[in-house]
Each structure stands twice: as structure tokens, then as C-alpha cells.
């Protein structure tokens, strides 16, 4: 896993390292030289090259001066401009027009607000450089905690950050400003980071294999969803759960007619009590709870609609189901901000809200800090939260959190969230611990989208791409063994 430190945590790590005996000048020298090597690689050499370095105050600017010194030692012609002394804009513009690269050492990860004055002018003038723009630690103008940008900000083609990733490099729009991100180890004591970006090996080791004597009921999943005209959503969930390793899936939908329409595949459809207009009725809760102990995971919500009787059934199922639960879509909306049914559970739960569902459930907007938002809801509801959207966050409170970086804008398509719920449900059915089921689910979902991704991606494409994405996890696990 790749550790992620917030700006405050990185500041603590710096101070801890310095207190342990590594002088700040040594850390600055290591950082500046790491950036200089990146600039050299990005330019393809040093002979005849010209570089502009723009330095701010403090350590970030100090790193920039080390970069300039190292490049000059290699024969590069370097023009250094400092915000502290005021930038000669006419001279800087001429230097930018003939530069082969630009080094942004104006502001670091602690920056808040908007660039102004000479810094804002440099951000606007940077497009004049035909070669790479390399940012020191983070592009100036990007909030290191949230990835937020107010006004002008540097657009780097390459960012060298130190010792650990920062949230602002992973969340949009900051991630889009950072370009290719390189983590340089400069000897900082990171402590025990609670946030990380998951990698293949981490997830492969956390997904249980089927035992040699396994049978289908050892990894069964129960899906409850659908309403009049909305049976496609639970169908996507069910098929994704099977692809993720559920040995048998029952898909409960309201009404005999809906169950008959959804039948005819590997998924077993079950008719649940329905209202006259095709919504899940209150009495369905008893039937779901009666069957639940046959399964190892339960997914509730996709396509249910917002009938009051359905909400009553969902609230009872959430509170009383004795098996791990994935709650999504209208299942989340059914709680109407009341977290009591979640807190009453005896078994774990994973919630998968997008920003709109988060508001209904938490009573507040996600806000600029996605990491903090996911952690708050996880702590309040005593659950694992997977906050969907660019830069997905999986959190089980303050203990640990993962930021998923797979996938892309092609996932902005109807039904893809249902597929995600199904993957998580399938992993839970296999026996994965809820935090890792959600983390591996987000990673695999995005990885399948990366393989099948295009502007016209539909949920069915995603399900078709799941076997190869999941096989890559399982084959890596066998290699590790």
C-alpha cells in the first residue's frame, strides 16, 4: 500500500524526523536533488537546456534553490525568480519563452486559499513553456488537504512529492493539476499512517479463496431491490456478485410479475410482497429476515424507490439482518437521516453513498474534504463508508481509510454503482472483512472500467470485464503464496 499523509501529519513527520537528528538542511538537500533528477529525466538530458525555477518562501522555496544549484552543476542554464523579492514579470516572461522546463517551488502542501500577485501571474504565464512543468511537493494553488483550487493554480506535467502521497494529489481538481506523481523517499519518519492508496498485492492477500471442499451455500448472497419498472438495478447487483465470487445469489424483487421478468439466468429470482403499484411492501421484511441466515451477505437498495411502506421494510431489514450488509441507493434514502437502524445492527455494514445520498443520510454536504466526510459518517453510524465519486474514499472511522485511484469518468453511467454494490456483496459472501471488501470492490470496479472504459461504457460492459479484473487479484495471491 502507498501511504497518504495529510499536510498536518506531514508536518508532524518532518518535526519528528528533525528531532530524531536529521537536520532540516539535509532533508531540503535530498528533496531538491530528487526534483532536479526528475527535471533532468523529463527534459531528456541537460546539454544546452534552460530551466526557470520560481521559488516562494519557506521550505518549498528552499527546495527550489537546491534544484537550481543541482541543475547548474550539471551544466543547465537556470533562471531563478523569487516571490519574496518580487518577480520581474518582463524578465520572467522572456525566460519562460526560451525555457525547456519550469520548476514550481512557490507553495507547498500547507497552502490554503487562492494564489495572488506574482504567484497568480506565474501560474497564468506558465503555458509559455513548451517543455515540462515540474512541481515541488504539490502544484502551487492546490489545497494539499482537499485537492481544491480557488482561482489560478499551476498545471504540472510531473509532481515530485516527498515520502508519502498527499490527499490533494489524489482528489480532483488537484489530481488533474499534478500530472504524473512521483514519491521521493527523503528519509522522513512517517510513523503509522492511517490512510493509504491500495495496491494489487494488498487486496489479493485480503480476499479469501474458496476452500477445496466449498459448496455454493458457503458464499451465498441475497439481493433485495427493484420496484415497478426498476428491476434492472438489482439484476446488475446480482450478476456482479456472482462474478465477484458469490456461489449462489437470490434476487428478491417485489411482485410475481417482476420476478418472472428477471428470471432465466444464473441468478435465482424470488418474489417478495409488493404494494399495488409494484413497490416493496412492509411485510417483505419478515420474509427477507427469515431467509437471511442462509446467506453470508445481503445487498439492499438498488431500484427500490421511495414508497413509505418500502422505507419501513428497509429500516427493519437494516436493523435486524444478522449478516453483513451492503446498503446503497434507495436503501440509504429509506433511513432519511436516521442512523439508529445501523447502530442497532449486530453484524457489520458497508454504505456506498454518492454525494446526494450522503446529504440525505448524514444531514450535511460532503464538503471539500472527502476524507473527513467519509470518516465522520463511518464513526457516527458504526459502519464502513465507501464515498463514491472521483477519488473514492473507504473509511471505517478514524482507524483507517483508503483512497481508490482506479476508474475514471467513463463510470458516470447508469447502473455502474449497482455493479459496485454487487462486487462488494460478492466479496463479503466470500468471507472478506468489510473494510477490505469495500476497498477491493472499489479497486476492482475501477480496474474493470479501466479495461472496458470508453465514453459509451454501460453497466453490462463493466460486468463482462469483471472476471479478468478479479482474476488478476487471485493470480497475484497465488504467486505470493
Amino acid at each position: 500500500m502507498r501511504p497518504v499523509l495529510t499536510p498536518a501529519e506531514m508536518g508532524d513527520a518532518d518535526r519528528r524526523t528533525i528531532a530524531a537528528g536529521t537536520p532540516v538542511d539535509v532533508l531540503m538537500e535530498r528533496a531538491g536533488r530528487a526534483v532536479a533528477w526528475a527535471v533532468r529525466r523529463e527534459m531528456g538530458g541537460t546539454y544546452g537546456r534552460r530551466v526557470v525555477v520560481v521559488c516562494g518562501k519557506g521550505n518549498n522555496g528552499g527546495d527550489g534553490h537546491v534544484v537550481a544549484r543541482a541543475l547548474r552543476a550539471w551544466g543547465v542554464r537556470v533562471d531563478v525568480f523569487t516571490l519574496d523579492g518580487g518577480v520581474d514579470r518582463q524578465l520572467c516572461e522572456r525566460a519562460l519563452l526560451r525555457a525547456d522546463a519550469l520548476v514550481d517551488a512557490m507553495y507547498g502542501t500547507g497552502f490554503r486559499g487562492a494564489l495572488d500577485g506574482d504567484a497568480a501571474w506565474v501560474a497564468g504565464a506558465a503555458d509559455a513553456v513548451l517543455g515540462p512543468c515540474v512541481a515541488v511537493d504539490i502544484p502551487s494553488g492546490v489545497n494539499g488537504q482537499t485537492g481544491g483550487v480557488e482561482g489560478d493554480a499551476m498545471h504540472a506535467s510531473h509532481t515530485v512529492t516527498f515520502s508519502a502521497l498527499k490527499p490533494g494529489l489524489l482528489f480532483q481538481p488537484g489530481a488533474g493539476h499534478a500530472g504524473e506523481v512521483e514519491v521521493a523517499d527523503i528519509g522522513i519518519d512517517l510513523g503509522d499512517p492511517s490512510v493509504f492508496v491500495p495496491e494489487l498485492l494488498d487486496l489479493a492477500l485480503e480476499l479469501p479463496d474458496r476452500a477445496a471442499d466449498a459448496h455454493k451455500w458457503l458464499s451465498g448472497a441475497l439481493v433485495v431491490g427493484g420496484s415497478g419498472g426498476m428491476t434492472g438495478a438489482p439484476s446488475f447487483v446480482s450478476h456482479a456478485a456472482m462474478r465477484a465470487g458469490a456461489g449462489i445469489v437470490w434476487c428478491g424483487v417485489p411482485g410475481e410479475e417482476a420476478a418472472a421478468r428477471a428470471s432465466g439466468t444464473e441468478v435465482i429470482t424470488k418474489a417478495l410482497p409488493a404494494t399495488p403499484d409494484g413497490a416493496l411492501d412492509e411485510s417483505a421484511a419478515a420474509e427477507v429476515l427469515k431467509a437471511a441466515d442462509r446467506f453470508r451477505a445481503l445487498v439492499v437498495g438498488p431500484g427500490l424507490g421511495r414508497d413509505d411502506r418500502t422505507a419501513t421494510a428497509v429500516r427493519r431489514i437494516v436493523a435486524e439482518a444478522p449478516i453483513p450488509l451492503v446498503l446503497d441507493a434507495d436503501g440509504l434514502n429509506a433511513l432519511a437521516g436516521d442512523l439508529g437502524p445501523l447502530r442497532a445492527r449486530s453484524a457489520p455494514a458497508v454504505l456506498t453513498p454518492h454525494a446526494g445520498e450522503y446529504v440525505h443520510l448524514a444531514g450535511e454536504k460532503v464538503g471539500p474534504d472527502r476524507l473527513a466526510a467519509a470518516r465522520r459518517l463511518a464513526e457516527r453510524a458504526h459502519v464502513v463508508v465507501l464515498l463514491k465519486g472521483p477519488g473514492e474514499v473507504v473509511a471505517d472511522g478514524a482507524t483507517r481509510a483508503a483512497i481508490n485511484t482506479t476508474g475514471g469518468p467513463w463510470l458516470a453511467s447508469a447502473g455502474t454503482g449497482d455493479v459496485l454494490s454487487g462486487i462488494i456483496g460478492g466479496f463479503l459472501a466470500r468471507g472478506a472483512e468489510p473494510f477490505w471488501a469495500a476497498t477491493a470492490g472499489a479497486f476492482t470496479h475501477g480496474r474493470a472500467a479501466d479495461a472496458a472504459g470508453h465514453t459509451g461504457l454501460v453497466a453490462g460492459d463493466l460486468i463482462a470485464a469483471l472476471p479478468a479484473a478479479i482474476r488478476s487479484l487471485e493470480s497475484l495471491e497465488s504467486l505470493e503464496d
Side-chain angles (χ1 to χ4, degrees):
M1 60 186 67
R2 303 170 68 194
V4 179
L5 263 64
T6 66
E9 290 170 336
M10 195 67 211
D12 290 342
D14 284 341
R15 287 186 286 273
R16 188 165 55 245
T17 303
I18 293 166
T22 304
V24 66
D25 290 346
V26 170
L27 295 176
M28 197 174 293
E29 187 72 18
R30 293 172 182 170
R33 288 193 167 274
V35 175
W37 275 107
V39 174
R40 180 172 180 161
R41 289 193 303 270
E42 290 292 296
M43 292 192 301
T46 58
Y47 180 75
R49 303 297 199 273
R50 304 185 70 125
V51 174
V52 172
V53 180
V54 185
C55 298
K57 303 176 182 179
N59 291 347
N60 203 254
D63 295 341
H65 286 290
V66 174
V67 174
R69 175 162 45 80
L71 290 172
R72 283 174 177 148
W74 293 331
V76 178
R77 296 187 64 179
V78 182
D79 294 303
V80 177
F81 297 89
T82 62
L83 299 181
D84 194 22
V87 174
D88 184 325
R89 297 186 183 183
Q90 188 175 21
L91 188 61
C92 186
E93 186 174 27
R94 287 202 301 268
L96 291 171
L97 288 170
R98 63 179 180 244
D100 297 292
L102 168 63
V103 176
D104 166 26
M106 293 189 292
Y107 292 100
T109 57
F111 178 81
R112 300 288 187 274
L115 295 180
D116 59 10
D118 287 335
W121 178 85
V122 170
D127 288 342
V129 179
L130 297 179
C133 174
V134 178
V136 177
D137 214 9
I138 194 168
S140 295
V142 173
N143 185 307
Q145 176 71 33
T146 68
V149 171
E150 301 176 23
D152 293 314
M154 293 293 295
H155 281 272
S157 56
H158 192 98
T159 296
V160 181
T161 197
F162 307 122
S163 298
L165 292 165
K166 315 303 185 300
L169 297 171
L170 301 171
F171 296 131
Q172 295 294 348
H177 283 256
E180 180 184 356
V181 177
E182 170 189 346
V183 179
D185 183 0
I186 61 171
I188 298 290
D189 176 9
L190 299 183
D192 187 18
S194 63
V195 185
F196 62 91
V197 171
E199 297 181 292
L200 264 175
L201 182 58
D202 310 317
L203 304 175
L205 295 174
E206 296 294 340
L207 287 180
D209 277 338
R210 282 185 181 171
D213 60 348
H215 58 80
K216 61 189 178 185
W217 282 107
L218 288 179
S219 55
L222 175 59
V223 175
V224 178
S227 56
M230 293 290 288
T231 55
S235 178
F236 285 139
V237 174
S238 301
H239 286 281
M242 293 206 77
R243 291 297 191 185
I248 184 169
V249 176
W250 280 15
C251 180
V253 294
E256 296 285 350
E257 184 179 347
R261 284 199 308 268
S263 65
T265 71
E266 300 88 347
V267 174
I268 299 168
T269 57
K270 296 288 183 178
L272 295 172
T275 66
D277 55 356
L280 194 73
D281 206 354
E282 290 182 39
S283 58
E287 292 198 21
V288 171
L289 293 170
K290 182 179 178 180
D293 61 4
R294 300 185 67 185
F295 299 90
R296 294 193 68 183
L298 170 64
V299 183
V300 176
L304 278 176
R306 302 197 182 187
D307 189 283
D308 288 343
R309 291 158 293 187
T310 302
T312 300
V314 168
R315 292 167 64 83
R316 182 181 173 193
I317 293 169
V318 168
E320 299 181 24
I323 57 176
L325 167 71
V326 180
L327 192 64
D328 187 24
D330 287 324
L332 297 167
N333 293 325
L335 298 185
D338 179 9
L339 303 180
L342 290 165
R343 295 182 182 132
R345 288 182 52 76
S346 61
V350 177
L351 312 185
T352 60
H354 56 54
E357 292 160 347
Y358 183 98
V359 172
H360 288 298
L361 192 59
E364 61 180 6
K365 292 183 178 180
V366 172
D369 193 336
R370 292 175 57 80
L371 181 59
R375 284 177 145 172
R376 282 196 308 273
L377 181 56
E379 287 186 288
R380 288 175 56 202
H382 307 160
V383 297
V384 172
V385 170
L386 192 166
L387 181 57
K388 294 187 288 195
E392 289 171 313
V393 179
V394 180
D396 65 356
T399 307
R400 56 185 169 173
I403 301 174
N404 181 54
T405 58
T406 63
W410 36 85
L411 280 169
S413 178
T416 58
D418 303 323
V419 174
L420 173 60
S421 295
I423 298 170
I424 299 170
F427 288 164
L428 285 173
R430 287 171 58 170
E433 190 264 331
F435 175 83
W436 288 108
T439 302
F443 183 94
T444 306
H445 184 246
R447 194 174 174 88
D450 290 338
H454 55 90
T455 302
L457 176 82
V458 296
D461 300 335
L462 203 54
I463 293 173
L466 283 177
I470 294 171
R471 192 159 53 242
S472 69
L473 293 180
E474 295 173 337
S475 61
L476 187 59
E477 183 178 22
S478 65
L479 289 173
E480 176 68 12
D481 292 344

